[in-house]
Amino acid sequence: MNQKVAWITGASSGIGEALALELARRGARLVLSARRQDELQRVADATNLPPANVLVLPMDLTDEASLPTHVQTVLDHFGQIDYVFQNAGITQRSTVEATKLDVYRQLMEINFFGAVALTKAVLPYLLHQRSGHFVVTSSVAGKIGTKQRSGYCASKHALHGFFDALRAETFEAGLRVTIVCPGYIRTPISLHALDGKGQKHAKMDQNQEVGMDPAKCAHRICNAVTRQREEVYVGGNEIMGIYLKRFFPGILSRILRSRPGE
């Protein structure tokens, strides 16, 4: 990854921030994107990269019309894009019955349509370049459905369908796609989760609090990307749920039914 250009969305905290630090250690040049410029600048400073090697680019992924301009900004600054790490996202803590339809739309706009829109904005350049790598953060919830996560699970499942199709379409053109399924990683994602009315959950989940260190997660993700893995699972024992779903779905269903909602 030395001197490659890696664009990271959701770079202001959590896995995105950890990826910025890991990629900087591997010699990459970075584009850091999220909504909060002050937090992006904090992460940029923490990378210890020369100012010319890190571009702070605040943006709103739901503002589709602005994305081509942002792509051009990156190209004007670095002249290339090699990796697009898509980490921006928001989760949920509410039952289907209690969740307003607008909350589902918000989850899909940020988690799915935002990733699709940026991909489509970057794709023409990567196809012309005949190289490039999309790294998409899904979740274990992109493989299985759990209580009080219906909209989050749906948005993450959708990412798999879209990016699996993109991989098949663009492989011969030299593009690669890695889908990352993290389990419990020690990030503030549950603090910003939406409840059924679209308000912040504002609580740290116990499993999240004792989850994997984000730095370890980022290290594993980057190793998988350099090996051009198509899909990678990162976490603890919760990863076993993916294999139970594949081979013993009835057992997993009973486990999920018996677990209390968070």
Side-chain angles (χ1 to χ4, degrees):
M1 294 182 176
N2 190 42
Q3 292 302 300
K4 299 294 186 180
V5 175
W7 190 351
I8 308 170
T9 67
S12 61
S13 65
I15 294 174
E17 178 179 352
L19 280 168
L21 300 177
E22 179 67 25
L23 287 162
R25 282 192 289 269
R26 295 180 184 227
R29 295 177 288 168
L30 303 180
V31 182
L32 305 180
S33 289
R35 296 188 184 192
R36 297 174 294 170
Q37 182 165 357
D38 56 340
E39 287 299 300
L40 291 174
Q41 189 59 56
R42 177 187 60 78
V43 175
D45 294 342
T47 66
N48 292 319
L49 289 173
N53 284 0
V54 55
L55 173 62
V56 171
L57 185 62
M59 68 179 192
D60 180 354
L61 281 174
T62 65
D63 183 4
E64 179 184 346
S66 71
L67 298 182
T69 300
H70 291 312
V71 172
Q72 192 59 53
T73 298
V74 175
L75 294 175
D76 290 343
H77 187 88
F78 286 120
Q80 67 191 74
I81 300 171
D82 300 295
Y83 297 97
V84 182
F85 285 80
Q86 306 229 39
N87 296 279
I90 191 166
T91 188
Q92 168 201 13
R93 297 294 183 272
S94 55
T95 64
V96 172
E97 182 183 18
T99 304
K100 291 185 175 181
L101 198 57
D102 284 348
V103 174
Y104 285 124
R105 289 195 174 101
Q106 186 176 353
L107 290 162
M108 291 299 294
E109 282 292 339
I110 296 171
N111 294 353
F112 177 69
F113 286 112
V116 170
L118 181 59
T119 297
K120 286 180 64 62
V122 175
L123 187 59
Y125 169 76
L126 298 186
L127 289 172
H128 177 76
Q129 182 177 266
R130 295 195 65 80
S131 68
H133 198 143
F134 291 102
V135 185
V136 185
T137 299
S138 173
S139 169
V140 171
K143 291 289 191 177
I144 61 179
T146 60
K147 292 178 178 178
Q148 298 190 20
R149 311 287 194 280
S150 54
Y152 180 69
C153 292
S155 66
K156 294 299 186 178
H157 276 67
L159 288 174
H160 286 261
F162 179 85
F163 282 98
D164 283 347
L166 179 69
R167 183 191 298 113
E169 290 177 2
T170 61
F171 185 87
E172 295 300 326
L175 275 60
R176 299 294 178 261
V177 175
T178 297
I179 301 176
V180 182
C181 297
Y184 295 121
I185 312 299
R186 197 164 62 249
T187 74
I189 188 171
S190 64
L191 295 176
H192 305 296
L194 299 180
D195 66 16
K197 296 180 180 179
Q199 303 300 312
K200 281 191 177 182
H201 179 64
K203 296 177 184 177
M204 175 63 83
D205 290 347
Q206 182 179 0
N207 288 326
Q208 212 82 45
E209 196 167 22
V210 298
M212 179 183 285
D213 186 331
K216 185 175 181 180
C217 174
H219 181 77
R220 290 190 180 182
I221 290 171
C222 289
N223 284 346
V225 170
T226 57
R227 295 170 185 151
Q228 297 191 358
R229 292 271 302 278
E230 292 189 355
E231 197 165 279
V232 58
Y233 311 140
V234 184
N237 292 334
E238 67 276 9
I239 298 300
M240 293 305 299
I242 296 174
Y243 297 100
L244 285 174
K245 176 71 172 180
R246 184 181 305 169
F247 299 111
F248 305 102
I251 293 176
L252 178 64
S253 183
R254 289 195 295 272
I255 292 172
L256 294 177
R257 289 199 304 267
S258 66
R259 291 184 60 188
E262 293 175 328

